[in-house]
Amino acid sequence: MSGDFSLWVYLARTPLLWLTVTLTSYVLADRIAVATGRHPIANPVLITVILVGTVLAVTGTPYPTYFEGAQFVHFLLGPATVVLAMPLYERRATVLRALVPMLAALVAGAATTLAVVIVLARLLDIPQPILISLAPKSVTSGVAMGIAEALGGDPTLTAILVILTGIIGAILVTPLMNLLRITDMRARGFAAGLAAHGIGTARAFQVSETAGTFAGIAMGLNAFLTAILAPLALHLLF
């Protein structure tokens, strides 16, 4: 028994173990999602978080130890975001035809998100560092963490809030769009990417390549615009 424990202690300190746990959990989560017909609630990211979190809790593994092994996945967020330019290029004609309404939706969405966060923070008397960490929650994690850190927020808290926002958005976007009877995949995808960044974009690609393309555009443009608006809004507020 002590030999098994010693082996686990050794493996737990090996970065490759946690990378394997993360990838295996996602593969299993994706199969569960497929088995449910890609039901919005069976979101692969949500299931992966639950699976990995359970393993960490059962084994008593601290987050820094886990992240040391799983950080390669975090590193790949950048290249994965850049790859979204491929469907954008392939569908450039469709994108150009919808450029004006897209820009209008982008400004309205980014400004509304910041306004809601700031108003709720004021009403609930949320401390300034938490507000700063919360402000870029609808932006892809790499950019959001950078914005929060530059403004004096907590990048780790921002990352958590970004993931929660993405998961909730990816779960709600399809039933909400159906409820509102919005059938245009361009509009559905753009809304998903604008509100739920990368996780919403992944969900949009599962539904339609057109939706995924517009979600990727929204995610990229929202990151750029929020990086400008967030510091201005917080500066005026404080």
Side-chain angles (χ1 to χ4, degrees):
M1 192 72 176
S2 60
D4 293 339
F5 179 74
S6 298
L7 178 61
W8 170 253
V9 171
Y10 170 75
L11 290 175
R13 296 180 180 276
T14 304
L16 183 60
L17 171 67
W18 299 113
L19 177 60
T20 303
V21 168
T22 303
L23 296 179
T24 302
S25 297
Y26 185 82
V27 170
L28 179 59
D30 191 60
R31 290 185 177 181
I32 294 173
V34 170
T36 64
R38 296 288 183 188
H39 192 281
I41 296 179
N43 184 274
V45 177
L46 174 60
I47 298 172
T48 302
V49 169
I50 294 172
L51 292 175
V52 174
T54 301
V55 173
L56 295 181
V58 170
T59 60
T61 303
Y63 178 75
T65 301
Y66 163 75
F67 187 72
E68 184 180 352
Q71 61 182 324
F72 182 68
V73 177
H74 178 76
F75 166 77
L76 289 176
L77 286 174
T81 302
V82 174
V83 168
L84 291 173
M86 292 298 295
L88 168 60
Y89 175 77
E90 292 171 354
R91 294 179 176 270
R92 57 191 181 279
T94 303
V95 171
L96 289 174
R97 286 197 295 270
L99 186 60
V100 174
M102 271 198 316
L103 292 177
L106 170 68
V107 174
T112 300
T113 297
L114 283 172
V116 169
V117 167
I118 291 173
V119 170
L120 287 178
R122 281 300 197 185
L123 291 176
L124 300 175
D125 198 24
I126 295 176
Q128 180 180 345
I130 296 179
L131 170 58
I132 293 173
S133 303
L134 183 62
K137 66 178 179 57
S138 291
V139 179
T140 187
S141 59
V143 177
M145 293 171 70
I147 293 173
E149 186 173 16
L151 296 177
D154 183 350
T156 302
L157 176 58
T158 298
I160 295 171
L161 294 170
V162 167
I163 293 172
L164 287 175
T165 300
I167 291 174
I168 293 171
I171 291 173
L172 294 181
V173 63
T174 297
L176 181 60
M177 291 296 166
N178 290 340
L179 180 64
L180 296 175
R181 297 183 180 180
I182 298 175
T183 57
D184 190 327
M185 286 300 169
R186 298 173 301 174
R188 292 172 70 119
F190 198 85
L194 186 61
H197 50 81
I199 301 176
T201 299
R203 171 61 185 170
F205 269 112
Q206 291 173 356
V207 175
S208 159
E209 186 172 340
T210 298
T213 298
F214 278 82
I217 296 169
M219 181 182 70
L221 293 178
N222 189 35
F224 173 75
L225 187 57
T226 301
I228 298 173
L229 293 181
L232 290 175
L234 294 172
H235 176 72
L236 293 174
L237 183 64
F238 299 113

